[in-house]
């Protein structure tokens, strides 16, 4: 089940990524010779028009092979205007950028679907209190529903929890619904040292309550609103991922948090077992991750090509073949090292 879920997930993400390159290349008049999902031995191939479409055995990537991809390629004079390398800088930039862009748009589309379908969200209700905690001493009891905090309305558990965590050692005035009666209670969160999503130690507030079981399905029936929220959610996740990459290089986030295909298989299995909404959310996150990784300025990745195009735009001449060859060798070596390290982390997780 886990392997099949991962194949479905990766297959869709790779297809969307390569579809971006393919469609913009076609739109720009480039001759696309091959569209492949996967690498290695071909499982299936069919030529339609001038393009061969293939499904290959190793589902860890894909590629779109375009005619005349580099200036040193031999190009027939009558096909020169259909060569990728002989297209304008603007067209080449758009073709390369389209892959990551389509992955971002897939995430937006998935989040919009989720918002339109509706997502369950826990209400700010108290399931219980920890003995001798600030909540217990303030008089909070099981079944209390928190309506407002310091005069601001609150409805959901995550909103309430976030607000409390930002107020370590500061008194918070709570407006509570208890058996249809409104009461006011003041509680001062303990100062607790915790770790954020990047593994950094931070001081947060905790009052010692457990979540109640009350929840509701949040629906966004208006497609326009849902798409807007899709863009917002994609931006927020992208921002967190970029911060995560930066913090890995800063050694704030441990390098052993990096995962590879084995971790993706396990997480795909877990998300699929949790339901379609969970699986779609995971797909959106991986799609954003794929887009950001491809935009890193590393030669052989889309971001490396965009970096060369940027240099070309500034210097008004293409980067020399020799420089690109050396850069590509360095980039490929770096990618192989990262892949081996990710596989190593995956394997070591099984022994923890």
């Amino acid at each position: 089940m886990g392997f099949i879920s991962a194949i479905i997930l990766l297959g869709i993400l790779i297809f969307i990524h390569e579809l971006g390159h393919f469609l913009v290349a076609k739109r720009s008049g480039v001759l696309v010779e091959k569209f492949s999902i996967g690498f290695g031995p071909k499982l299936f191939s069919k030529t339609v028009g001038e393009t061969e479409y293939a499904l290959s055995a190793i589902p860890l990537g894909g590629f779109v092979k375009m005619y005349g991809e580099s200036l040193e390629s031999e190009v027939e004079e009558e096909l020169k205007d259909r060569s990728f390398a002989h297209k304008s800088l603007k067209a080449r930039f758009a073709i390369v950028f389209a892959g990551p862009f389509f992955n971002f748009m897939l995430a937006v589309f998935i989040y919009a679907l989720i918002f339109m379908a509706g997502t369950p969200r826990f209400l700010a209700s108290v399931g219980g209190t920890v003995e001798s905690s600030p909540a217990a001493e303030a008089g909070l009891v099981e079944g209390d529903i928190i309506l407002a905090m310091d005069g601001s309305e609150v409805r959901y558990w995550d909103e309430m929890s976030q607000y409390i965590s930002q107020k370590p050692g500061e008194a918070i005035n709570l407006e509570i619904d208890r058996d249809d009666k409104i009461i006011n209670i003041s509680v001062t969160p303990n100062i607790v040292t915790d770790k954020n999503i990047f593994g950094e130690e931070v001081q947060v507030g905790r009052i010692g309550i457990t979540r109640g079981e009350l929840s509701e399905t949040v629906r966004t029936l208006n497609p326009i609103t849902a798409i807007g929220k899709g863009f917002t959610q994609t931006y927020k996740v992208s921002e967190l991922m970029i911060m995560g990459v930066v913090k890995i290089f800063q050694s704030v986030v441990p390098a052993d948090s990096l995962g590879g295909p084995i971790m993706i298989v396990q997480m795909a299995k877990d998300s699929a077992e949790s339901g379609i909404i969970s699986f779609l959310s995971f797909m959106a996150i991986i799609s954003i991750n794929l887009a950001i990784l491809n935009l890193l300025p590393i030669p052989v990745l889309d971001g490396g090509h965009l970096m060369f195009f940027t240099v070309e735009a500034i210097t008004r001449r293409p980067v020399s073949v020799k420089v690109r060859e050396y850069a590509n060798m360095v980039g490929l070596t770096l990618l192989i090292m990262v892949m081996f390290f990710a596989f190593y982390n995956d394997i070591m997780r099984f022994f923890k």
Side-chain angles (χ1 to χ4, degrees):
M1 177 64 180
F3 184 73
I4 294 174
S5 300
I7 291 296
I8 293 172
L9 183 145
L10 291 175
I12 293 173
L13 299 188
I14 293 166
F15 172 76
I16 292 296
H17 182 93
E18 300 305 334
L19 183 65
H21 294 313
F22 175 81
L23 291 179
V24 178
K26 284 281 193 180
R27 179 73 176 175
S28 303
V30 174
L31 171 58
V32 179
E33 297 179 319
K34 188 173 183 178
F35 182 110
S36 177
I37 303 300
F39 298 109
K42 285 187 285 190
L43 301 176
F44 168 84
S45 71
K46 183 177 179 62
T47 300
V48 179
E50 59 190 14
T51 305
E52 178 191 3
Y53 299 88
L55 180 64
S56 300
I58 305 174
L60 295 179
F63 63 91
V64 171
K65 186 177 185 299
M66 293 173 281
Y67 182 72
E69 290 188 351
S70 59
L71 286 172
E72 62 270 22
S73 301
E74 291 187 14
V75 176
E76 297 177 27
E77 189 61 33
E78 62 270 22
L79 291 176
K80 193 172 182 179
D81 63 334
R82 304 201 63 194
S83 163
F84 171 81
H86 290 86
K87 289 295 179 180
S88 68
L89 181 60
K90 181 179 178 181
R92 283 180 280 139
F93 195 99
I95 292 169
V96 173
F97 182 72
F101 178 76
F102 268 48
N103 280 126
F104 281 125
M105 290 302 100
L106 175 62
V108 172
F109 175 73
I110 290 173
Y111 283 130
L113 281 180
I114 292 172
F115 287 127
M116 284 189 286
T119 54
R121 202 170 178 185
F122 284 99
L123 300 179
S125 62
V126 179
T129 60
V130 178
E131 187 178 352
S132 301
S133 66
E137 293 177 358
L140 282 165
V141 297
E142 180 182 353
D144 284 348
I145 300 175
I146 299 172
L147 304 176
M149 308 178 77
D150 290 333
S152 297
E153 183 181 348
V154 64
R155 183 167 183 80
Y156 300 109
W157 177 270
D158 56 327
E159 297 173 336
M160 178 202 68
S161 179
Q162 184 178 17
Y163 188 84
I164 293 172
S165 69
Q166 295 171 349
K167 298 287 184 178
E170 300 179 33
I172 301 175
N173 294 312
L174 306 179
E175 183 179 312
I176 295 170
D177 178 349
R178 179 180 293 171
D179 298 326
D180 296 326
K181 294 180 181 179
I182 305 300
I183 63 173
N184 291 283
I185 290 178
S186 179
V187 60
T188 302
N190 286 333
I191 301 173
V192 178
T193 300
D194 200 356
K195 290 187 177 182
N196 62 18
I197 60 173
F198 302 114
E200 300 171 293
E201 288 192 350
V202 292
Q203 288 190 330
V204 297
R206 294 283 187 269
I207 63 173
I209 59 174
T210 58
R211 188 184 65 198
E213 294 302 316
L214 293 179
S215 67
E216 67 179 19
T217 298
V218 181
R219 294 185 180 276
T220 305
L221 300 179
N222 185 338
I224 301 300
T225 304
I227 291 172
K229 286 191 173 184
F231 274 103
T232 301
Q233 184 67 12
T234 299
Y235 175 80
K236 288 180 179 179
V237 175
S238 300
E239 187 177 39
L240 284 173
M241 286 188 178
I242 292 170
M243 288 175 61
V245 171
V246 171
K247 289 180 181 294
I248 286 177
F249 283 106
Q250 292 176 338
S251 298
V252 173
V253 176
D256 60 7
S257 64
L258 185 68
I262 297 175
M263 187 176 79
I264 291 176
V265 169
Q266 182 60 47
M267 295 181 72
K269 173 180 175 293
D270 293 342
S271 63
E273 289 176 349
S274 298
I276 186 64
I277 296 296
S278 178
F279 183 71
L280 287 174
S281 297
F282 181 62
M283 181 183 290
I285 291 171
I286 297 298
S287 190
I288 294 170
N289 185 56
L290 180 61
I292 291 173
L293 289 179
N294 267 281
L295 287 174
L296 292 177
I298 299 174
V300 310
L301 292 180
D302 292 335
H305 293 297
L306 296 177
M307 177 180 64
F308 290 144
F309 294 156
T310 302
V311 172
E312 181 179 342
I314 295 171
T315 62
R316 297 189 180 278
R317 65 171 182 267
V319 177
S320 71
V321 174
K322 193 171 184 179
V323 169
R324 280 188 284 119
E325 285 178 348
Y326 280 124
N328 285 335
M329 283 191 292
V330 172
L332 184 60
T333 301
L334 178 61
L335 281 180
I336 292 173
M337 290 172 62
V338 171
M339 287 178 62
F340 272 109
F341 185 66
F343 269 114
Y344 171 79
N345 284 344
D346 284 350
I347 293 169
M348 292 306 295
R349 286 188 185 95
F350 283 100
F351 296 97
K352 288 184 177 180

